[in-house]
Every structure is written in C-alpha cells, then in structure tokens.
Amino acid sequence: MQLEVSGQNLEITDALRNYVREKVDRVERHLDDATGAHVVLSVEKIRNIAEITVTVEGETLHAEAEDKDMYAAIDAMADKIDRQARRHQGKAKDHHQREARNAKEQPPEATD
C-alpha cells in the first residue's frame, strides 16, 4: 500500500513519518485490497489533528482524531481506522458459506 504523509502548519519529521508508517502497517494487515493511504497531520493553536483516508477497492475509509499531543492524535486515528478496516473485512467475506452451513444443520422438511 502506498502511503502519503502531509502536514498543514507542521513540518513532517522522519520520526513522525515512521510513527505513522508503523501505525498504518497495523491497518494494512486487515485490508488485502487497499491501494493507498493519505495521512494529513495539522496543528491549529493547541489542537493537533490527524486524518487518514484509505482507498480500498470500491470504498473509501476515513478517520479523524484530535488531541493536545500529536502522537496521541495519531494513536486515536489509527485505532479508529483499524476498527473500520476490521468491519470492512468482515463485510467483504463471502457469507454464502454461513448460509450453507446453516442449511446443513437444519433437518430437511418432510413432504407428504
């Protein structure tokens, strides 16, 4: 997955870029079909805001978090997008297998 990190009113250091990469790798485990991610880190007075947009085949996942500390904002953003990724992965699985398993467990209806 291609990762873009940009900053608004903030210079992106190597430490921030590596920290974001580490957190986004966690999300990448859940999404096999993710094509790219764009992270925007911004500072407005005392608010540190972290936003991420992940492009998944056929869908876009977005999360935003803010905190007084940039690293805490990145952690919260990563937790939010991780939950969305797991939910997306669950929806993308083939549910026909579950229906077939349920059909096997129920006895066939008797016809007279």
Side-chain angles (χ1 to χ4, degrees):
M1 174 168 55
Q2 183 179 357
L3 175 66
E4 272 185 64
V5 181
S6 60
Q8 293 180 346
N9 302 327
L10 173 72
E11 183 179 335
I12 303 298
T13 62
D14 288 338
L16 274 175
R17 188 177 309 277
N18 291 336
Y19 193 72
V20 168
R21 167 48 81 187
E22 180 183 310
K23 294 297 179 176
V24 171
D25 283 345
R26 199 174 75 184
V27 174
E28 203 171 352
R29 291 183 302 192
H30 299 296
L31 299 173
D32 297 330
D33 54 350
T35 56
H38 183 78
V39 177
V40 178
L41 306 176
S42 60
V43 176
E44 296 175 2
K45 294 189 180 183
I46 61 169
R47 296 178 351 165
N48 291 298
I49 303 169
E51 297 179 50
I52 186 169
T53 304
V54 179
T55 307
V56 184
E57 207 170 287
E59 196 172 339
T60 301
L61 306 177
H62 180 79
E64 182 177 336
E66 83 175 56
D67 203 293
K68 290 182 180 179
D69 179 40
M70 181 57 77
Y71 289 96
I74 293 169
D75 286 341
M77 172 205 65
D79 290 341
K80 288 180 182 182
I81 200 72
D82 193 42
R83 280 192 303 270
Q84 288 182 23
R86 281 185 278 147
R87 193 165 128 226
H88 175 77
Q89 180 189 24
K91 286 182 176 181
K93 285 187 178 179
D94 187 9
H95 296 288
H96 296 290
Q97 293 173 355
R98 179 175 26 156
E99 292 172 6
R101 184 177 61 237
N102 290 342
K104 278 194 241 179
E105 290 174 359
Q106 295 180 4
E109 295 179 15
T111 56
D112 291 331

